[in-house]
């Protein structure tokens, strides 16, 4: 079967379940999940130059500078013959979204769909605190969680409108059984 290029973005606040759902949808549709958070955490773990630079930023719950993120994205896209990807946690700023558009245009591609997962704030905080206990992520403490939610509202939420205007945005509730959310996503994407 011919594998056409496909570019999906998972958007939503920290704790909305983007990573979990992106992994499940990637598996079902044969896409590669590109998670900037996972890539950055690997750099921090391995103590690379980039890791050393971003560790304090991530621990505060702030955003890593756009140029560093875009260098990662360019590198990841270069590895693929035919981009069939889900971006998880990228783009997070208007500048990143515009740079992604330019990058895709150079490849003759565009964003096919954006999946926005909505979850009430109290539920997000509860989930992030639970993840903090279970996984011990350095940025999952109460103060940083608050900061990450603020940064999301200020920097990332405007992207909802950016993609909605283009008619590529699909908004879904990110609460309830994980399987049902996955099925809903696949359905809105026309994959079921
Ligand atoms: P995440 O796992 O997606 O919640 O990302 C964890 C942290 O990595 C964020 O709080 C940011 O500090 C950093 N990060 C991940 N993706 C991006 C991005 N696209 N732009 C800026 N910072 C990012």
């Amino acid at each position: 079967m011919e594998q056409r290029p496909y570019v999906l973005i998972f958007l939503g606040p920290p704790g909305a379940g983007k990573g979990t759902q992106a992994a499940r949808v990637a598996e079902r549709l044969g896409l590669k999940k590109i998670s900037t958070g996972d890539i950055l955490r690997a750099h921090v773990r391995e103590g690379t130059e980039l890791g050393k630079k971003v560790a304090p930023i991530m621990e505060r719950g702030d955003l890593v500078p756009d140029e560093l993120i875009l260098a990662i994205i360019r590198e990841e896209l270069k590895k693929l013959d035919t981009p069939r990807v889900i971006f998880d946690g990228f783009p997070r700023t208007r500048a990143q979204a515009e740079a992604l558009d330019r990058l895709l245009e150079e490849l003759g591609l565009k964003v096919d769909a954006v999946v926005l997962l909505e979850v009430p704030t109290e539920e997000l905080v509860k989930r992030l605190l639970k993840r903090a206990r279970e996984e011990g992520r350095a940025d999952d403490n109460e103060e940083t969680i608050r900061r990450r939610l603020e940064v999301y509202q200020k920097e990332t939420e405007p992207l909802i409108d950016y993609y909605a205007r283009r008619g590529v945005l699909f908004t879904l509730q990110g609460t309830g059984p994980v399987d049902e959310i996955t099925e809903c996503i696949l359905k809105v994407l026309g994959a079921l």
Side-chain angles (χ1 to χ4, degrees):
M1 197 179 79
E2 197 219 346
Q3 294 272 294
R4 73 167 189 90
Y6 195 51
V7 180
L8 262 183
I9 292 172
F10 274 43
L11 196 63
K18 295 185 298 295
T20 304
Q21 292 299 335
R24 296 167 72 104
V25 172
E27 163 93 43
R28 292 277 286 272
L29 301 184
L31 305 172
K32 180 178 162 57
K33 175 172 91 112
I34 299 177
S35 162
T36 42
D38 286 348
I39 294 168
L40 292 168
R41 276 186 291 279
H43 277 279
V44 172
R45 249 192 335 268
E46 287 157 22
T48 66
E49 280 308 306
L50 176 63
K52 283 183 206 147
K53 208 181 284 180
V54 300
I57 302 175
M58 292 172 75
E59 265 185 54
R60 285 199 304 273
D62 284 330
L63 292 183
V64 168
D66 291 333
E67 315 81 69
L68 298 180
I69 298 294
L70 289 165
I72 291 176
I73 296 295
R74 265 186 233 109
E75 207 50 44
E76 290 296 313
L77 284 177
K78 232 191 279 169
K79 291 183 199 164
L80 306 169
D81 290 332
T82 307
R84 288 179 52 81
V85 297
I86 298 186
F87 290 114
D88 157 32
F90 170 85
R92 258 177 157 97
T93 64
R94 171 106 191 183
Q96 289 180 18
E98 287 172 353
L100 175 64
D101 284 340
R102 284 195 297 273
L103 210 62
L104 291 176
E105 205 182 323
E106 279 167 26
L107 300 169
L109 304 175
K110 61 179 174 38
V111 173
D112 289 285
V114 179
V115 173
L116 169 66
L117 291 176
E118 282 189 333
V119 174
T121 307
E122 320 81 80
E123 171 73 17
L124 292 174
V125 174
K126 222 161 63 188
R127 287 185 187 182
L128 291 166
L129 287 172
K130 181 162 177 272
R131 189 166 74 187
R133 286 193 298 274
E134 289 169 358
E135 295 175 23
R137 256 177 62 164
D139 59 353
D140 274 346
N141 61 70
E142 208 164 341
E143 195 186 326
T144 310
I145 288 169
R146 220 174 308 120
R147 175 77 192 135
R148 281 159 65 209
L149 290 170
E150 259 173 41
V151 169
Y152 173 76
Q153 278 166 6
K154 181 159 174 278
E155 303 287 348
T156 311
E157 237 172 32
L159 298 185
I160 296 173
D161 198 43
Y162 182 82
Y163 290 116
R165 281 166 192 272
R166 252 194 247 177
V168 292
L169 184 79
F170 298 95
T171 304
L172 288 145
Q173 295 314 304
T175 48
V178 175
D179 281 342
E180 282 177 21
I181 299 170
T182 311
E183 297 307 310
C184 275
I185 295 171
L186 291 169
K187 202 188 269 173
V188 300
L189 293 176
L192 282 185

